[in-house]
Amino acid sequence: MARITEQDRSLMIKHLRDLSKRTINANAKHSKNIQKQIDHTIELTKIIQEDRATINRLNNVIDMKQREIDELNSTNMNLLWDASKLEKQIWENEKAQEKAAAYERKITKYINKKSIDN
């Protein structure tokens, strides 16, 4: 079996120390990258929570406005129905007024004719 010479041994130790330093540096960089990712994830989570809260508030506002619209539509339909009834009543009253005016003309004509005859 071959023996490791002192020179090989010192080169090997130097190489292992260099490798250890590089490993520590890489580990530190990796830790920084992981921490940045964690920070970004936390920040994104906060943004998503804020967006969800905003969406919920907007949905509540939309629901309130939709209820108002439904209520106004119902009121509008009731008013249109009442207006329709009133138009029908006006039309019936105008017809009745026309009939009354026709009867009044006939009666006036009849009275005038009777007064002329007498």
Side-chain angles (χ1 to χ4, degrees), residues 33-47:
N33 285 339
I34 294 295
Q35 188 59 47
K36 283 181 184 179
Q37 286 179 345
I38 290 170
D39 292 343
H40 288 150
T41 303
I42 291 170
E43 188 175 333
L44 287 173
T45 304
K46 287 179 184 177
I47 291 171

Side-chain angles (χ1 to χ4, degrees), residues 75-90:
T75 303
N76 188 34
M77 289 301 290
N78 291 338
L79 290 173
L80 288 173
W81 181 253
D82 292 344
S84 173
K85 286 181 185 178
L86 290 174
E87 285 177 356
K88 183 179 179 187
Q89 191 175 8
I90 288 170

